[in-house]
mmCIF file of all heavy atoms in Angstrom:
data_model
loop_
_atom_site.group_PDB
_atom_site.id
_atom_site.type_symbol
_atom_site.label_atom_id
_atom_site.label_comp_id
_atom_site.label_asym_id
_atom_site.label_seq_id
_atom_site.Cartn_x
_atom_site.Cartn_y
_atom_site.Cartn_z
ATOM 1 N N PHE A 236 10.003 6.888 28.048
ATOM 2 C CA PHE A 236 8.798 7.709 27.973
ATOM 3 C C PHE A 236 9.036 8.896 28.886
ATOM 4 O O PHE A 236 9.129 8.747 30.109
ATOM 5 C CB PHE A 236 7.593 6.874 28.407
ATOM 6 C CG PHE A 236 6.274 7.575 28.272
ATOM 7 C CD1 PHE A 236 5.846 8.066 27.053
ATOM 8 C CD2 PHE A 236 5.448 7.731 29.377
ATOM 9 C CE1 PHE A 236 4.622 8.709 26.935
ATOM 10 C CE2 PHE A 236 4.226 8.358 29.267
ATOM 11 C CZ PHE A 236 3.815 8.854 28.044
ATOM 12 N N ALA A 237 9.142 10.062 28.306
ATOM 13 C CA ALA A 237 9.583 11.239 29.040
ATOM 14 C C ALA A 237 8.525 11.722 30.032
ATOM 15 O O ALA A 237 7.318 11.576 29.813
ATOM 16 C CB ALA A 237 9.938 12.367 28.083
ATOM 17 N N GLY A 238 9.014 12.336 31.115
ATOM 18 C CA GLY A 238 8.118 12.890 32.117
ATOM 19 C C GLY A 238 7.153 13.914 31.548
ATOM 20 O O GLY A 238 5.998 13.995 31.968
ATOM 21 N N ALA A 239 7.610 14.696 30.579
ATOM 22 C CA ALA A 239 6.731 15.695 29.958
ATOM 23 C C ALA A 239 5.564 15.030 29.236
ATOM 24 O O ALA A 239 4.438 15.557 29.246
ATOM 25 C CB ALA A 239 7.525 16.562 28.984
ATOM 26 N N LEU A 240 5.817 13.882 28.614
ATOM 27 C CA LEU A 240 4.742 13.181 27.917
ATOM 28 C C LEU A 240 3.760 12.558 28.907
ATOM 29 O O LEU A 240 2.548 12.559 28.670
ATOM 30 C CB LEU A 240 5.323 12.111 26.995
ATOM 31 C CG LEU A 240 6.152 12.645 25.822
ATOM 32 C CD1 LEU A 240 6.737 11.497 25.015
ATOM 33 C CD2 LEU A 240 5.302 13.547 24.926
ATOM 34 N N MET A 241 4.284 12.043 30.024
ATOM 35 C CA MET A 241 3.375 11.517 31.041
ATOM 36 C C MET A 241 2.517 12.639 31.611
ATOM 37 O O MET A 241 1.303 12.459 31.828
ATOM 38 C CB MET A 241 4.145 10.813 32.144
ATOM 39 C CG MET A 241 3.244 10.275 33.262
ATOM 40 S SD MET A 241 1.937 9.155 32.677
ATOM 41 C CE MET A 241 2.827 7.594 32.657
ATOM 42 N N ALA A 242 3.119 13.785 31.852
ATOM 43 C CA ALA A 242 2.339 14.921 32.358
ATOM 44 C C ALA A 242 1.259 15.316 31.371
ATOM 45 O O ALA A 242 0.121 15.620 31.752
ATOM 46 C CB ALA A 242 3.265 16.099 32.646
ATOM 47 N N LYS A 243 1.596 15.310 30.087
ATOM 48 C CA LYS A 243 0.606 15.633 29.055
ATOM 49 C C LYS A 243 -0.540 14.620 29.057
ATOM 50 O O LYS A 243 -1.726 14.989 29.039
ATOM 51 C CB LYS A 243 1.269 15.647 27.688
ATOM 52 C CG LYS A 243 0.304 15.757 26.511
ATOM 53 C CD LYS A 243 0.794 14.932 25.337
ATOM 54 C CE LYS A 243 -0.328 14.690 24.342
ATOM 55 N NZ LYS A 243 0.058 13.743 23.289
ATOM 56 N N ASP A 244 -0.199 13.333 29.118
ATOM 57 C CA ASP A 244 -1.235 12.303 29.099
ATOM 58 C C ASP A 244 -2.122 12.374 30.338
ATOM 59 O O ASP A 244 -3.335 12.136 30.261
ATOM 60 C CB ASP A 244 -0.600 10.917 28.994
ATOM 61 C CG ASP A 244 -0.047 10.635 27.604
ATOM 62 O OD1 ASP A 244 -0.124 11.534 26.745
ATOM 63 O OD2 ASP A 244 0.475 9.531 27.388
ATOM 64 N N LEU A 245 -1.530 12.707 31.472
ATOM 65 C CA LEU A 245 -2.335 12.837 32.690
ATOM 66 C C LEU A 245 -3.217 14.078 32.634
ATOM 67 O O LEU A 245 -4.288 14.113 33.255
ATOM 68 C CB LEU A 245 -1.431 12.864 33.914
ATOM 69 C CG LEU A 245 -0.779 11.524 34.256
ATOM 70 C CD1 LEU A 245 0.273 11.694 35.324
ATOM 71 C CD2 LEU A 245 -1.826 10.500 34.686
ATOM 72 N N GLY A 246 -2.788 15.091 31.888
ATOM 73 C CA GLY A 246 -3.667 16.229 31.649
ATOM 74 C C GLY A 246 -4.906 15.803 30.878
ATOM 75 O O GLY A 246 -6.027 16.264 31.158
ATOM 76 N N LEU A 247 -4.720 14.904 29.906
ATOM 77 C CA LEU A 247 -5.871 14.368 29.171
ATOM 78 C C LEU A 247 -6.750 13.527 30.093
ATOM 79 O O LEU A 247 -7.981 13.565 29.994
ATOM 80 C CB LEU A 247 -5.381 13.521 27.998
ATOM 81 C CG LEU A 247 -4.550 14.243 26.931
ATOM 82 C CD1 LEU A 247 -4.081 13.254 25.867
ATOM 83 C CD2 LEU A 247 -5.332 15.382 26.294
ATOM 84 N N GLN A 266 -1.598 13.350 38.470
ATOM 85 C CA GLN A 266 -1.470 14.472 37.530
ATOM 86 C C GLN A 266 -0.733 15.637 38.174
ATOM 87 O O GLN A 266 0.151 16.251 37.568
ATOM 88 C CB GLN A 266 -2.862 14.899 37.046
ATOM 89 C CG GLN A 266 -2.861 15.951 35.954
ATOM 90 C CD GLN A 266 -2.772 17.372 36.471
ATOM 91 O OE1 GLN A 266 -3.284 17.667 37.565
ATOM 92 N NE2 GLN A 266 -2.138 18.259 35.714
ATOM 93 N N TYR A 269 3.105 14.655 38.534
ATOM 94 C CA TYR A 269 3.868 14.666 37.278
ATOM 95 C C TYR A 269 3.935 16.054 36.646
ATOM 96 O O TYR A 269 4.892 16.365 35.920
ATOM 97 C CB TYR A 269 3.332 13.626 36.304
ATOM 98 C CG TYR A 269 4.021 12.295 36.487
ATOM 99 C CD1 TYR A 269 3.381 11.244 37.130
ATOM 100 C CD2 TYR A 269 5.336 12.113 36.061
ATOM 101 C CE1 TYR A 269 4.031 10.032 37.333
ATOM 102 C CE2 TYR A 269 5.989 10.905 36.256
ATOM 103 C CZ TYR A 269 5.336 9.871 36.886
ATOM 104 O OH TYR A 269 5.992 8.681 37.089
ATOM 105 N N ALA A 270 2.966 16.910 36.916
ATOM 106 C CA ALA A 270 3.051 18.289 36.438
ATOM 107 C C ALA A 270 4.240 18.997 37.085
ATOM 108 O O ALA A 270 4.990 19.726 36.419
ATOM 109 C CB ALA A 270 1.753 19.035 36.733
ATOM 110 N N ALA A 273 7.521 17.413 35.604
ATOM 111 C CA ALA A 273 7.804 17.847 34.236
ATOM 112 C C ALA A 273 8.230 19.298 34.181
ATOM 113 O O ALA A 273 9.055 19.687 33.339
ATOM 114 C CB ALA A 273 6.571 17.629 33.362
#
Side-chain angles (χ1 to χ4, degrees):
F236 185 58
L240 294 177
M241 178 56 86
K243 171 216 163 188
D244 287 2
L245 288 170
L247 298 177
Q266 186 275 328
Y269 270 104

